[in-house]
């Protein structure tokens, strides 16, 4: 017997119904391309056979759909959250419904009949998004040595495996890769030291496999729904989800899981990069994991993959709206449709109705005092194609390509149009100086011990999936700092600051004609032509220090390590900077140490000369006189005192032709 949904009573009470089903509706509507198929924006290829989704024309008329033979239930796709009704209606969240079938074999027939109803404006098959592409098996960290680097590089936090996280602090250790590049990281060390380590009021939703919320390095970072009573089987807060304590499992409709057959630890790994607890004496560090004082970001697990299932349009869309309604400021999405599925924003928008509208809803939901909506970050894809996969390729979404410890594009990364910025994604198969290859060229993060062969809580993985959470973590640090400064931005403004907060990769790419890596268990060599990636790896690699300076409003100048490097001061003092009288420079010991200065910088003819020996970032203040050679006094005529704070970043090389100074 057909099981009607609980929503049916409400519908019948209102006396609403769809138009009658035409008697001549073809049963094989899809295969024959009947006219009613124009309401279907996609096909049933790669779609769940158990349900499809519809958008009604303006009201909740579902009784006609329930009357179709083979329909088991019709439920609102998006549970309404108290207090958000106006926003839900603005974005049509109240008009989407999921139709579940009694028999999966009847998908085309039932969908065709539903599409013929006047009240149905749009029909979408429940297409499955590409699961995260596993490029290599996760490798645990048991008995791996620390990197051979000075203690100063890793002394800020006491997390023992921080020295193996080259993607945060790359010292140029050749036991990681023969071609390792010092400074090929996200430039976060000085941000942690001088600016911010995060803010616990910021919630980041990880839309992925389930996050192991009991993990020793994640438990204290997990978002907790205080309005929900664990394990009582009741939706205590009325948000449409039962027992959603640390997020929700949208696949199995219940508790978050991470140990089903087919789970790969992917969600736990990406979550650790964003917010593993810092300075807690165990494991690894997270980009926005705090300083050990409970000030790291909160992690919300929005599970859309479980075992070998999940990833449908309905599950993704629900997860995005859930994140918005429960306080998330950012969503980190290390998944997407396979490269080439869509080739333009218009093609994706015309297809991805429920999913896309959920993203627009998220971008309009203000969950912090800094940005007027949510920030969406996707991985660019691991297909090695010259364009990003969707949804990340959308113009209003940040998509992330990947570089390795050699600070060059990885063999698997998508690049080109749609790829907004890059970040470390790791790359197995990079040769080391002593011969052979090291797993440490991949990205180290948290991992479910239940899935690791030796029962370890940490593992190395690689992919744009690993690059994506680096940018998410840096963005979370940016919101934390902007909150401290009382800054306010639109979503577009903040996205623009993230994407423009990048350090040059093209100069590094230009230094190589090719690079060769080994992959597929060491049996296959792949040679990459570096010119293919020139100007196509986004704006460059995310630079945490640069983002903080943009938020602070201080221009950044970048110089290469070495003697007699100089910085043009006209961006700070105007085009007449060469005619000013400079009265001094203020720099503290921390800044000297960060840049490895041999001596204090000197001011000569409108330039700041600097001899740096270390990759780092620091601020200093330059004092000058405008309108005279000295400041006016009670007895003499003179000029005005001018003081400008500047930010200096030292890197291993400097770009030419409009790049780094």
């Amino acid at each position: 017997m057909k099981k009607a949904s609980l929503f049916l009573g409400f519908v019948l009470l209102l006396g609403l119904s769809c138009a009658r089903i035409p008697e001549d509706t073809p049963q094989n509507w899809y295969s024959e391309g009947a006219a009613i198929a124009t309401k279907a924006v996609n096909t049933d290829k790669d779609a769940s056979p158990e349900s499809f989704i519809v958008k009604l024309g303006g009201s909740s008329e579902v009784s006609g759909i329930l009357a179709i033979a083979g329909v088991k239930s019709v439920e609102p796709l998006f549970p309404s959250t108290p207090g958000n009704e106006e926003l839900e209606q603005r974005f049509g969240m109240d008009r989407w419904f999921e139709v579940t079938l009694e028999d999966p074999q009847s998908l085309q027939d039932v969908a065709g009949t539903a599409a013929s109803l006047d009240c149905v404006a749009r029909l979408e098959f429940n297409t499955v998004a590409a699961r995260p592409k596993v490029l290599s098996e996760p490798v645990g960290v048991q008995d791996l040595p620390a990197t051979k680097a000075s203690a100063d590089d890793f002394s800020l936090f006491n997390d023992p495996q921080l020295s193996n996280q080259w993607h945060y602090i790359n010292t140029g250790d050749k036991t990681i890769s023969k071609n390792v590049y010092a400074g090929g990281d996200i430039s976060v060390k000085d941000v942690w030291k001088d600016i911010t380590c995060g803010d616990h009021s910021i919630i980041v939703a990880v839309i992925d496999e389930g996050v192991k919320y009991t993990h020793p390095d994640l438990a204290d970072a997990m978002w907790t729904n205080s309005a929900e009573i664990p394990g009582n089987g009741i939706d205590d807060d009325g948000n449409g989800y039962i027992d959603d304590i640390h997020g929700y499992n949208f696949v199995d409709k219940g508790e978050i899981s991470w140990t089903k057959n087919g789970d790969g630890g992917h969600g736990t790994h990406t979550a650790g990069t964003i917010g593993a607890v810092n300075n807690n004496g165990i494991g690894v560090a997270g980009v926005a994991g705090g300083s050990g004082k409970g000030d790291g970001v909160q992690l919300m697990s929005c599970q859309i993959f479980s075992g070998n299932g999940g990833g449908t349009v309905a599950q993704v869309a629900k997860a995005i709206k859930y994140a918005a309604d429960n306080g998330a400021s950012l969503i980190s999405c290390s998944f997407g449709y396979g490269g080439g599925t869509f080739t333009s924003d218009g093609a994706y928008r015309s297809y991805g109705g429920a999913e896309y509208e959920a993203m627009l809803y998220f971008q309009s939901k203000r969950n912090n005092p800094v940005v007027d909506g949510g920030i969406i970050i996707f991985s660019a894809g691991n297909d090695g194609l010259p364009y990003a996969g969707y949804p990340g390729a959308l113009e209003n979404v940040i998509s992330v390509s990947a570089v390795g410890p050699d600070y060059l594009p990885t063999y698997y990364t998508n690049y080109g149009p749609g790829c907004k910025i890059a970040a470390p994604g790791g790359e197995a198969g990079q040769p080391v100086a002593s011969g052979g290859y090291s797993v440490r060229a991949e990205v180290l993060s948290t991992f479910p011990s239940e899935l690791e062969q030796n029962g370890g809580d940490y593992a190395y993985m690689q992919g744009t999936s690993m690059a994506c959470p680096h940018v998410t973590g840096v963005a979370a640090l940016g919101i934390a700092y902007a909150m401290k400064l009382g800054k306010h931005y639109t979503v577009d403004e903040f996205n623009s600051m993230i994407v423009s907060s990048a350090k040059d990769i093209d100069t590094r790419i230009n230094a190589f004609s090719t690079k060769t890596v080994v992959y597929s268990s060491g049996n296959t060599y792949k040679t990459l032509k570096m010119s293919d990636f020139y100007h196509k790896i986004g704006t460059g690699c995310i630079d945490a220090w640069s983002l903080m300076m943009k938020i602070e409003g201080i221009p950044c100048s970048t110089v290469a390590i070495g003697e007699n490097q100089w910085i043009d001061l006209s961006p700070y003092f105007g085009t007449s900077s060469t005619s000013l009288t400079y009265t001094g420079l203020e720099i503290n010991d921390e800044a000297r140490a960060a840049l490895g200065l041999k001596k204090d910088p000197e001011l000569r003819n409108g330039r700041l000369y600097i001899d740096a020996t270390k990759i780092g970032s620091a601020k200093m203040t330059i004092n000058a006189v405008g309108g005279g050679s000295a400041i006016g006094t009670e007895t003499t005529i003179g000029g005005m005192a001018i003081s400008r704070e500047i930010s200096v970043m030292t890197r291993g090389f400097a770009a030419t032709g409009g790049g780094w100074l």
Side-chain angles (χ1 to χ4, degrees):
M1 180 179 293
K2 180 163 56 182
K3 180 182 178 182
S5 73
L6 295 176
F7 190 68
L8 177 59
F10 173 70
V11 173
L12 295 178
L13 181 64
L14 291 178
L16 301 174
S17 65
C18 284
R20 292 188 58 185
I21 303 168
E23 293 180 1
D24 60 349
T25 297
Q27 295 303 302
N28 56 345
W29 68 278
Y30 173 72
S31 59
E32 291 186 358
I36 54 174
T38 58
K39 290 183 180 178
V41 296
N42 60 344
T43 72
D44 61 349
K45 181 183 178 182
D46 298 324
S48 167
E50 299 174 354
S51 65
F52 58 88
I53 55 181
V54 296
K55 186 176 186 179
L56 302 186
S59 61
S60 301
E61 300 174 332
V62 298
S63 59
I65 301 175
L66 279 164
I68 299 173
V71 171
K72 181 179 181 181
S73 65
V74 181
E75 300 282 354
L77 179 63
F78 303 108
S80 180
T81 303
N84 293 322
E85 293 86 357
E86 182 179 344
L87 193 64
E88 290 169 348
Q89 291 173 13
R90 188 198 313 172
F91 288 96
M93 300 287 98
D94 58 327
R95 293 163 53 195
W96 285 99
F97 291 83
E98 185 169 12
V99 181
T100 304
L101 310 181
E102 290 183 333
D103 180 7
Q105 299 299 319
S106 65
L107 176 63
Q108 288 191 12
D109 291 342
V110 175
T113 303
S116 70
L117 301 177
D118 291 343
C119 65
V120 173
R122 184 184 185 101
L123 185 145
E124 290 187 39
F125 289 101
N126 225 342
T127 305
V128 177
R131 292 185 62 83
K133 190 173 183 179
V134 178
L135 298 168
S136 59
E137 289 300 316
V139 179
V141 300
Q142 285 75 14
D143 302 322
L144 283 176
T147 56
K148 295 178 181 178
S150 68
D152 290 344
D153 290 315
F154 308 104
S155 61
L156 183 64
F157 299 145
N158 61 11
D159 307 274
Q161 291 294 341
L162 174 60
S163 62
N164 279 315
Q165 293 181 286
W166 61 264
H167 31 105
Y168 299 163
I169 306 170
N170 190 336
T171 63
D173 177 13
K174 292 189 179 297
T175 64
I176 294 174
S177 169
K178 182 173 68 175
N179 298 316
V180 69
Y181 179 73
D185 51 41
I186 62 172
S187 304
V188 73
K189 181 181 69 172
D190 292 323
V191 173
W192 285 340
K193 180 168 63 73
D194 298 328
I195 297 176
T196 183
C197 298
D199 189 294
H200 199 58
S201 68
I202 298 168
I203 300 170
V204 181
V206 180
I207 302 182
D208 205 308
E209 288 185 348
V211 176
K212 181 179 178 180
Y213 54 81
T214 60
H215 190 285
D217 231 353
L218 297 176
D220 290 340
M222 295 303 300
W223 169 77
T224 299
N225 184 358
S226 58
E228 196 76 13
I229 300 172
N232 67 353
I234 299 173
D235 180 14
D236 300 288
D237 58 359
N239 69 350
Y241 299 98
I242 295 172
D243 291 342
D244 54 320
I245 307 302
H246 301 296
Y248 193 72
N249 182 338
F250 295 90
V251 183
D252 303 318
K253 298 181 179 179
E255 187 176 356
I256 296 163
S257 62
W258 56 86
T259 60
K260 293 182 67 174
N261 183 35
D263 285 338
H266 195 269
T268 301
H269 198 276
T270 60
T273 298
I274 299 166
V277 179
N278 295 339
N279 214 27
N280 61 352
I282 60 171
V284 297
V287 176
S291 63
K293 301 176 182 178
D295 52 354
V297 297
Q298 297 179 65
L299 301 169
M300 175 191 294
S301 179
C302 294
Q303 185 173 355
I304 61 165
F305 298 108
S306 178
N308 294 309
T312 67
V313 168
Q315 291 158 356
V316 173
K318 287 178 181 179
I320 294 171
K321 183 177 184 293
Y322 178 93
D325 289 341
N326 288 279
S329 294
L330 307 101
I331 54 174
S332 190
C333 307
S334 289
F335 66 94
Y337 297 97
T341 303
F342 306 102
T343 55
S344 71
D345 286 15
Y348 172 77
R349 288 190 180 106
S350 67
Y351 152 74
E355 188 175 80
Y356 180 62
E357 290 180 16
M359 286 192 284
L360 293 178
Y361 179 87
F362 182 82
Q363 289 179 322
S364 298
K365 191 75 165 59
R366 185 169 188 170
N367 287 325
N368 64 70
V370 172
V371 189
D372 68 1
I375 303 298
I376 301 175
I377 303 172
F378 269 85
S379 54
N382 298 334
D383 305 300
L385 294 173
Y387 43 78
Y390 281 85
L394 284 166
E395 57 88 17
N396 59 341
V397 172
I398 296 173
S399 63
V400 188
S401 297
V403 297
D406 55 1
Y407 201 57
L408 292 170
T410 61
Y411 76 85
Y412 54 78
T413 189
N414 287 354
Y415 58 99
C419 300
K420 314 305 194 308
I421 199 165
E427 189 170 41
Q430 290 209 2
V432 295
S434 60
Y437 305 90
S438 173
V439 69
R440 289 165 58 207
E442 299 183 65
V443 169
L444 177 61
S445 186
T446 49
F447 197 76
S449 56
E450 298 90 339
L451 302 179
E452 211 286 304
Q453 201 169 32
N454 297 314
D457 290 311
Y458 306 90
Y460 286 92
M461 297 179 75
Q462 62 173 340
T464 59
S465 288
M466 284 63 248
C468 172
H470 282 85
V471 176
T472 306
V474 171
L477 289 177
I479 293 176
Y481 191 41
M483 193 181 307
K484 185 186 298 185
L485 298 179
K487 302 276 187 169
H488 304 279
Y489 305 98
T490 66
V491 170
D492 288 344
E493 288 171 340
F494 201 78
N495 279 343
S496 295
M497 286 199 303
I498 294 170
V499 172
S500 62
S501 298
K503 53 189 177 185
D504 175 59
I505 296 176
D506 286 332
T507 300
R508 175 73 173 166
I509 289 173
N510 265 345
F512 292 80
S513 58
T514 62
K515 77 173 237 184
T516 301
V517 295
V518 177
Y519 69 108
S520 184
S521 302
N523 297 321
T524 306
Y525 289 84
K526 185 167 185 177
T527 299
L528 304 179
K529 186 179 178 182
M530 286 293 98
S531 60
D532 290 343
F533 297 94
Y534 187 71
H535 282 334
K536 295 179 182 178
I537 197 76
T539 55
C541 184
I542 186 69
D543 189 298
W545 180 270
S546 178
L547 178 59
M548 303 309 130
M549 293 303 99
K550 286 184 179 295
I551 290 169
E552 196 168 324
I554 298 178
C556 279
S557 292
T558 308
V559 294
I561 293 175
E563 295 184 1
N564 295 320
Q565 305 296 309
W566 58 267
I567 296 169
D568 179 10
L569 296 179
S570 59
Y572 305 95
F573 292 96
T575 55
S576 62
S577 60
T578 55
S579 63
L580 293 179
T581 299
Y582 293 94
T583 58
L585 179 141
E586 300 172 24
I587 183 170
N588 60 30
D589 289 341
E590 288 77 12
R592 293 185 182 95
L595 304 178
L597 297 180
K598 294 181 178 180
K599 59 182 179 179
D600 281 357
E602 297 179 12
L603 294 156
R604 301 198 302 264
N605 302 319
R607 292 178 174 180
L608 178 69
Y609 286 81
I610 186 168
D611 297 343
T613 64
K614 191 175 180 182
I615 293 172
S617 307
K619 291 185 287 185
M620 58 192 73
T621 300
I622 296 175
N623 300 316
V625 177
S629 60
I631 299 171
T633 69
E634 292 293 327
T635 58
T636 61
I637 188 170
M640 174 187 292
I642 303 173
S643 180
R644 290 298 308 272
E645 189 174 35
I646 75 169
S647 172
V648 176
M649 302 186 296
T650 54
R651 300 293 182 256
F653 58 85
T656 57
W660 294 347
L661 296 174

